[in-house]
Coordinates of all heavy atoms in Angstrom, one line a residue:
Y80 N 15.0 -70.8 -17.1 CA 16.0 -70.8 -18.2 C 15.8 -71.8 -19.3 O 16.5 -71.8 -20.3 CB 17.4 -71.0 -17.6 CG 17.9 -69.9 -16.6 CD1 18.0 -70.2 -15.3 CD2 18.1 -68.6 -17.1 CE1 18.4 -69.2 -14.4 CE2 18.5 -67.6 -16.2 CZ 18.6 -67.9 -14.8 OH 19.0 -66.9 -14.0
I81 N 14.8 -72.6 -19.2 CA 14.4 -73.6 -20.2 C 14.1 -73.0 -21.5 O 14.5 -73.4 -22.6 CB 13.3 -74.6 -19.7 CG1 13.9 -75.4 -18.6 CG2 12.8 -75.4 -20.9 CD1 12.9 -76.3 -17.9
F82 N 13.4 -71.8 -21.5 CA 13.1 -71.1 -22.7 C 14.4 -70.8 -23.5 O 14.4 -71.0 -24.7 CB 12.4 -69.8 -22.4 CG 12.2 -68.9 -23.6 CD1 11.2 -69.2 -24.5 CD2 13.0 -67.7 -23.7 CE1 11.0 -68.3 -25.6 CE2 12.8 -66.9 -24.8 CZ 11.9 -67.2 -25.8
F83 N 15.4 -70.3 -22.8 CA 16.7 -70.0 -23.5 C 17.4 -71.2 -24.1 O 18.0 -71.2 -25.1 CB 17.6 -69.2 -22.6 CG 17.0 -67.9 -22.1 CD1 16.6 -67.7 -20.8 CD2 16.9 -66.9 -23.0 CE1 16.0 -66.5 -20.4 CE2 16.4 -65.6 -22.6 CZ 15.9 -65.5 -21.4
F84 N 17.2 -72.4 -23.3 CA 17.8 -73.6 -23.8 C 17.1 -74.0 -25.0 O 17.8 -74.5 -26.0 CB 17.6 -74.7 -22.7 CG 18.0 -76.0 -23.1 CD1 19.4 -76.3 -23.3 CD2 17.1 -77.1 -23.2 CE1 19.8 -77.6 -23.7 CE2 17.5 -78.3 -23.6 CZ 18.8 -78.6 -23.8
I85 N 15.8 -73.9 -25.1 CA 15.0 -74.3 -26.3 C 15.4 -73.4 -27.5 O 15.5 -73.9 -28.6 CB 13.5 -74.4 -26.0 CG1 13.2 -75.4 -24.9 CG2 12.7 -74.6 -27.3 CD1 13.5 -76.8 -25.3
I86 N 15.5 -72.2 -27.2 CA 15.9 -71.2 -28.3 C 17.3 -71.6 -28.8 O 17.5 -71.6 -30.0 CB 15.8 -69.8 -27.8 CG1 14.4 -69.3 -27.5 CG2 16.5 -68.8 -28.8 CD1 13.5 -69.3 -28.7
F87 N 18.2 -71.9 -27.9 CA 19.6 -72.3 -28.3 C 19.5 -73.5 -29.1 O 20.2 -73.6 -30.1 CB 20.4 -72.5 -27.0 CG 21.8 -73.0 -27.3 CD1 22.7 -72.2 -27.9 CD2 22.1 -74.3 -27.0 CE1 24.0 -72.7 -28.2 CE2 23.4 -74.8 -27.3 CZ 24.3 -74.0 -27.9
L88 N 18.7 -74.5 -28.7 CA 18.6 -75.8 -29.5 C 18.0 -75.5 -30.9 O 18.5 -76.1 -31.9 CB 17.7 -76.8 -28.8 CG 18.2 -77.6 -27.7 CD1 17.2 -78.5 -27.1 CD2 19.4 -78.4 -28.1
G89 N 17.1 -74.6 -31.0 CA 16.6 -74.2 -32.3 C 17.6 -73.5 -33.2 O 17.7 -73.8 -34.4
Y90 N 18.5 -72.7 -32.6 CA 19.5 -72.1 -33.3 C 20.5 -73.2 -33.8 O 20.9 -73.2 -35.0 CB 20.3 -71.1 -32.4 CG 21.5 -70.5 -33.1 CD1 21.4 -69.7 -34.2 CD2 22.8 -70.9 -32.7 CE1 22.5 -69.1 -34.8 CE2 23.9 -70.4 -33.3 CZ 23.8 -69.5 -34.4 OH 24.9 -69.0 -35.0
I91 N 20.9 -74.1 -32.9 CA 21.8 -75.2 -33.3 C 21.2 -76.0 -34.4 O 21.8 -76.5 -35.3 CB 22.1 -76.1 -32.0 CG1 22.9 -75.3 -31.0 CG2 22.8 -77.4 -32.4 CD1 24.2 -74.9 -31.4
G92 N 19.9 -76.2 -34.3 CA 19.1 -77.0 -35.3 C 19.2 -76.4 -36.7 O 19.1 -77.1 -37.7
T93 N 19.4 -75.1 -36.8 CA 19.5 -74.5 -38.2 C 20.9 -74.9 -38.8 O 21.0 -74.9 -40.1 CB 19.5 -73.0 -38.1 OG1 20.6 -72.5 -37.3 CG2 18.2 -72.5 -37.6
W94 N 21.9 -75.3 -38.1 CA 23.1 -75.8 -38.6 C 23.2 -77.3 -38.8 O 24.1 -77.7 -39.5 CB 24.3 -75.3 -37.7 CG 24.3 -73.8 -37.6 CD1 23.8 -73.1 -36.5 CD2 24.7 -72.8 -38.6 NE1 23.9 -71.7 -36.8 CE2 24.5 -71.5 -38.0 CE3 25.3 -72.9 -39.8 CZ2 24.8 -70.4 -38.7 CZ3 25.6 -71.8 -40.5 CH2 25.4 -70.5 -39.9
V95 N 22.4 -78.0 -38.1 CA 22.4 -79.5 -38.2 C 21.7 -79.9 -39.4 O 20.5 -79.5 -39.6 CB 21.9 -80.1 -36.9 CG1 21.8 -81.6 -37.0 CG2 22.7 -79.7 -35.7
K96 N 22.3 -80.8 -40.2 CA 21.6 -81.2 -41.4 C 21.2 -82.7 -41.3 O 20.3 -83.1 -42.0 CB 22.5 -81.0 -42.6 CG 22.8 -79.6 -42.8 CD 21.6 -78.7 -43.0 CE 22.0 -77.2 -43.2 NZ 20.9 -76.4 -42.8
E97 N 21.9 -83.5 -40.5 CA 21.6 -85.0 -40.5 C 20.3 -85.2 -39.8 O 20.0 -84.7 -38.7 CB 22.7 -85.7 -39.8 CG 23.9 -85.9 -40.7 CD 24.9 -86.9 -40.1 OE1 24.5 -88.1 -39.9 OE2 26.0 -86.5 -39.8
Y98 N 19.4 -86.0 -40.4 CA 18.1 -86.3 -40.0 C 18.0 -86.8 -38.5 O 17.2 -86.3 -37.7 CB 17.4 -87.4 -40.9 CG 16.0 -87.8 -40.5 CD1 15.0 -86.9 -40.9 CD2 15.7 -88.9 -39.8 CE1 13.7 -87.3 -40.6 CE2 14.4 -89.2 -39.5 CZ 13.4 -88.4 -39.9 OH 12.1 -88.7 -39.5
K99 N 18.9 -87.7 -38.2 CA 18.9 -88.3 -36.8 C 19.1 -87.2 -35.8 O 18.5 -87.3 -34.7 CB 19.9 -89.4 -36.7 CG 21.3 -89.1 -37.1 CD 22.1 -90.4 -37.1 CE 23.5 -90.2 -37.7 NZ 24.2 -91.4 -37.8
Y100 N 20.0 -86.3 -36.0 CA 20.3 -85.2 -35.0 C 19.2 -84.2 -35.0 O 18.9 -83.6 -33.9 CB 21.7 -84.6 -35.3 CG 22.8 -85.6 -35.3 CD1 23.6 -85.8 -36.3 CD2 23.0 -86.4 -34.1 CE1 24.6 -86.7 -36.3 CE2 24.0 -87.4 -34.1 CZ 24.8 -87.5 -35.2 OH 25.8 -88.5 -35.2
V101 N 18.7 -83.9 -36.1 CA 17.5 -82.9 -36.2 C 16.4 -83.4 -35.4 O 15.7 -82.7 -34.6 CB 17.1 -82.6 -37.6 CG1 15.8 -81.9 -37.7 CG2 18.2 -81.9 -38.4
Q102 N 16.1 -84.8 -35.4 CA 15.0 -85.4 -34.7 C 15.2 -85.3 -33.2 O 14.2 -85.3 -32.5 CB 14.8 -86.8 -35.2 CG 14.2 -86.9 -36.6 CD 13.0 -85.9 -36.8 OE1 12.1 -85.9 -36.1 NE2 13.1 -85.1 -37.8
I103 N 16.4 -85.4 -32.8 CA 16.7 -85.3 -31.3 C 16.2 -83.9 -30.8 O 15.5 -83.7 -29.8 CB 18.1 -85.5 -31.0 CG1 18.5 -87.0 -31.2 CG2 18.4 -85.1 -29.5 CD1 20.0 -87.3 -31.1
I104 N 16.6 -82.8 -31.6 CA 16.3 -81.5 -31.3 C 14.8 -81.3 -31.4 O 14.1 -80.7 -30.5 CB 17.0 -80.5 -32.2 CG1 18.5 -80.5 -31.9 CG2 16.5 -79.1 -32.1 CD1 19.4 -79.8 -32.9
N105 N 14.2 -81.8 -32.4 CA 12.7 -81.7 -32.6 C 12.0 -82.4 -31.4 O 10.9 -81.8 -31.0 CB 12.3 -82.4 -33.9 CG 12.7 -81.5 -35.1 OD1 13.1 -80.4 -35.0 ND2 12.6 -82.1 -36.3
T106 N 12.4 -83.5 -31.0 CA 11.8 -84.2 -29.9 C 11.8 -83.4 -28.6 O 10.8 -83.2 -27.9 CB 12.4 -85.6 -29.6 OG1 12.3 -86.4 -30.8 CG2 11.8 -86.3 -28.4
I107 N 13.0 -82.8 -28.3 CA 13.1 -82.0 -27.1 C 12.1 -80.8 -27.2 O 11.4 -80.4 -26.2 CB 14.6 -81.5 -26.9 CG1 15.4 -82.7 -26.6 CG2 14.6 -80.5 -25.7 CD1 16.9 -82.4 -26.6
S108 N 12.2 -80.1 -28.3 CA 11.4 -78.9 -28.5 C 9.9 -79.2 -28.5 O 9.1 -78.5 -27.9 CB 11.7 -78.2 -29.9 OG 13.1 -77.8 -29.9
A109 N 9.5 -80.3 -29.1 CA 8.1 -80.7 -29.2 C 7.5 -81.1 -27.8 O 6.4 -80.7 -27.4 CB 7.9 -81.9 -30.2
I110 N 8.3 -81.8 -27.1 CA 7.8 -82.2 -25.7 C 7.7 -80.9 -24.9 O 6.7 -80.7 -24.1 CB 8.8 -83.2 -25.1 CG1 8.7 -84.6 -25.8 CG2 8.5 -83.4 -23.6 CD1 9.7 -85.6 -25.4
N111 N 8.7 -80.0 -25.0 CA 8.6 -78.8 -24.2 C 7.4 -78.0 -24.6 O 6.7 -77.4 -23.7 CB 9.9 -78.0 -24.4 CG 9.9 -76.7 -23.5 OD1 10.0 -76.8 -22.3 ND2 9.8 -75.6 -24.2
A112 N 7.1 -77.9 -25.9 CA 6.0 -77.1 -26.4 C 4.6 -77.8 -25.9 O 3.7 -77.1 -25.6 CB 5.9 -77.1 -27.9
N113 N 4.6 -79.1 -25.7 CA 3.4 -79.7 -25.3 C 3.2 -79.6 -23.8 O 2.1 -80.0 -23.3 CB 3.4 -81.2 -25.7 CG 2.9 -81.4 -27.1 OD1 1.7 -81.3 -27.3 ND2 3.8 -81.5 -28.0
L114 N 4.1 -79.1 -23.1 CA 3.9 -78.9 -21.6 C 2.8 -77.8 -21.4 O 2.3 -77.7 -20.3 CB 5.2 -78.5 -20.9 CG 6.3 -79.6 -20.9 CD1 7.5 -79.1 -20.2 CD2 5.7 -80.8 -20.3
V115 N 2.4 -77.0 -22.4 CA 1.4 -76.1 -22.3 C 0.0 -76.8 -22.2 O -0.8 -76.4 -21.4 CB 1.3 -75.2 -23.6 CG1 0.1 -74.3 -23.6 CG2 2.6 -74.3 -23.7
L116 N -0.1 -78.0 -22.8 CA -1.3 -78.8 -22.7 C -1.3 -80.0 -21.8 O -2.3 -80.4 -21.3 CB -1.6 -79.3 -24.1 CG -1.9 -78.3 -25.2 CD1 -2.0 -79.0 -26.6 CD2 -3.2 -77.6 -24.9
F117 N -0.1 -80.5 -21.6 CA 0.0 -81.8 -20.8 C 1.1 -81.7 -19.8 O 2.0 -80.8 -19.9 CB 0.4 -82.9 -21.8 CG -0.5 -83.1 -23.0 CD1 0.0 -82.8 -24.3 CD2 -1.8 -83.6 -22.9 CE1 -0.8 -82.9 -25.4 CE2 -2.6 -83.7 -24.0 CZ -2.1 -83.4 -25.2
D118 N 1.1 -82.6 -18.9 CA 2.3 -82.7 -18.0 C 3.3 -83.5 -18.8 O 3.1 -84.1 -19.8 CB 1.9 -83.5 -16.7 CG 1.4 -84.9 -16.9 OD1 2.2 -85.8 -17.0 OD2 0.1 -85.0 -17.2
S119 N 4.5 -83.5 -18.3 CA 5.7 -84.1 -19.0 C 5.5 -85.6 -19.3 O 5.8 -86.1 -20.4 CB 7.0 -83.9 -18.3 OG 7.0 -84.5 -17.0
T120 N 4.9 -86.4 -18.3 CA 4.6 -87.8 -18.6 C 3.7 -88.0 -19.7 O 3.9 -88.9 -20.6 CB 4.1 -88.5 -17.3 OG1 5.0 -88.2 -16.2 CG2 3.9 -89.9 -17.4
T121 N 2.6 -87.3 -19.7 CA 1.6 -87.4 -20.8 C 2.2 -86.9 -22.2 O 2.0 -87.6 -23.2 CB 0.4 -86.6 -20.5 OG1 -0.1 -87.0 -19.2 CG2 -0.7 -86.7 -21.6
A122 N 3.0 -85.9 -22.1 CA 3.6 -85.4 -23.4 C 4.6 -86.4 -24.0 O 4.6 -86.7 -25.2 CB 4.3 -84.0 -23.1
I123 N 5.3 -87.0 -23.1 CA 6.3 -88.0 -23.6 C 5.5 -89.3 -24.0 O 5.8 -89.9 -25.1 CB 7.3 -88.4 -22.4 CG1 8.2 -87.2 -22.2 CG2 8.1 -89.7 -22.7 CD1 9.1 -87.3 -21.0
G124 N 4.5 -89.7 -23.3 CA 3.7 -90.8 -23.7 C 3.0 -90.6 -25.0 O 3.0 -91.5 -25.9
N125 N 2.5 -89.4 -25.2 CA 1.9 -89.1 -26.5 C 2.9 -89.1 -27.6 O 2.6 -89.6 -28.7 CB 1.2 -87.7 -26.5 CG -0.1 -87.7 -25.7 OD1 -0.7 -88.7 -25.5 ND2 -0.6 -86.5 -25.4
R126 N 4.0 -88.6 -27.4 CA 5.1 -88.6 -28.4 C 5.4 -90.0 -28.9 O 5.5 -90.3 -30.1 CB 6.3 -87.9 -27.9 CG 7.4 -87.7 -28.9 CD 7.2 -86.6 -29.8 NE 8.3 -86.4 -30.7 CZ 8.4 -85.5 -31.6 NH1 7.4 -84.6 -31.7 NH2 9.4 -85.4 -32.4
L127 N 5.6 -90.9 -27.9 CA 5.9 -92.3 -28.3 C 4.7 -93.0 -28.9 O 4.9 -93.7 -29.9 CB 6.3 -93.0 -27.0 CG 7.7 -92.6 -26.4 CD1 7.9 -93.3 -25.0 CD2 8.8 -93.0 -27.3
L128 N 3.5 -92.8 -28.4 CA 2.4 -93.5 -29.0 C 2.1 -93.0 -30.4 O 1.9 -93.8 -31.3 CB 1.1 -93.2 -28.1 CG -0.2 -93.7 -28.7 CD1 -0.2 -95.2 -28.7 CD2 -1.4 -93.2 -27.9
L129 N 2.1 -91.7 -30.6 CA 1.8 -91.2 -32.0 C 3.0 -91.5 -33.0 O 2.7 -91.7 -34.1 CB 1.6 -89.7 -31.9 CG 0.4 -89.3 -31.0 CD1 0.2 -87.8 -30.9 CD2 -0.9 -90.1 -31.4
L130 N 4.2 -91.6 -32.5 CA 5.3 -92.1 -33.3 C 5.0 -93.5 -33.7 O 5.2 -93.9 -34.9 CB 6.7 -92.0 -32.6 CG 7.9 -92.6 -33.3 CD1 8.2 -91.9 -34.6 CD2 9.1 -92.6 -32.4
G131 N 4.6 -94.4 -32.8 CA 4.3 -95.7 -33.1 C 3.1 -95.8 -34.1 O 3.2 -96.7 -35.1
I132 N 2.1 -95.0 -34.0 CA 1.0 -95.1 -34.9 C 1.4 -94.6 -36.3 O 1.1 -95.2 -37.3 CB -0.2 -94.2 -34.4 CG1 -0.8 -94.9 -33.2 CG2 -1.2 -94.0 -35.5 CD1 -1.8 -94.0 -32.4
G133 N 2.3 -93.6 -36.3 CA 2.8 -93.0 -37.6 C 3.6 -94.1 -38.3 O 3.5 -94.3 -39.5
I134 N 4.5 -94.7 -37.6 CA 5.3 -95.8 -38.2 C 4.5 -96.9 -38.7 O 4.7 -97.4 -39.8 CB 6.4 -96.3 -37.1 CG1 7.4 -95.3 -36.9 CG2 7.0 -97.6 -37.6 CD1 8.4 -95.6 -35.7
A135 N 3.4 -97.3 -37.9 CA 2.6 -98.4 -38.4 C 1.8 -98.0 -39.7 O 1.7 -98.8 -40.6 CB 1.5 -98.7 -37.3
I136 N 1.4 -96.7 -39.8 CA 0.8 -96.3 -41.0 C 1.7 -96.3 -42.2 O 1.4 -96.8 -43.3 CB 0.2 -94.8 -40.9 CG1 -1.0 -94.8 -39.9 CG2 -0.2 -94.2 -42.2 CD1 -1.4 -93.4 -39.4
V137 N 3.0 -95.9 -42.0 CA 4.0 -95.9 -43.1 C 4.2 -97.3 -43.5 O 4.3 -97.6 -44.7 CB 5.2 -95.1 -42.6 CG1 6.4 -95.4 -43.6 CG2 5.0 -93.7 -42.4

Side-chain angles (χ1 to χ4, degrees):
Y80 297 112
I81 291 175
F82 171 77
F83 298 107
F84 174 68
I85 297 299
I86 295 296
F87 176 72
L88 281 179
Y90 174 73
I91 296 296
T93 62
W94 300 100
V95 175
K96 299 299 177 209
E97 283 192 60
Y98 181 80
K99 54 187 169 186
Y100 301 122
V101 170
Q102 290 311 310
I103 293 171
I104 294 169
N105 288 347
T106 298
I107 295 168
S108 298
I110 292 171
N111 185 67
N113 274 282
L114 294 180
V115 172
L116 298 172
F117 309 108
D118 62 90
S119 60
T120 303
T121 305
I123 291 168
N125 282 346
R126 183 79 177 181
L127 290 171
L128 174 67
L129 301 179
L130 173 65
I132 292 171
I134 290 170
I136 290 170
V137 169

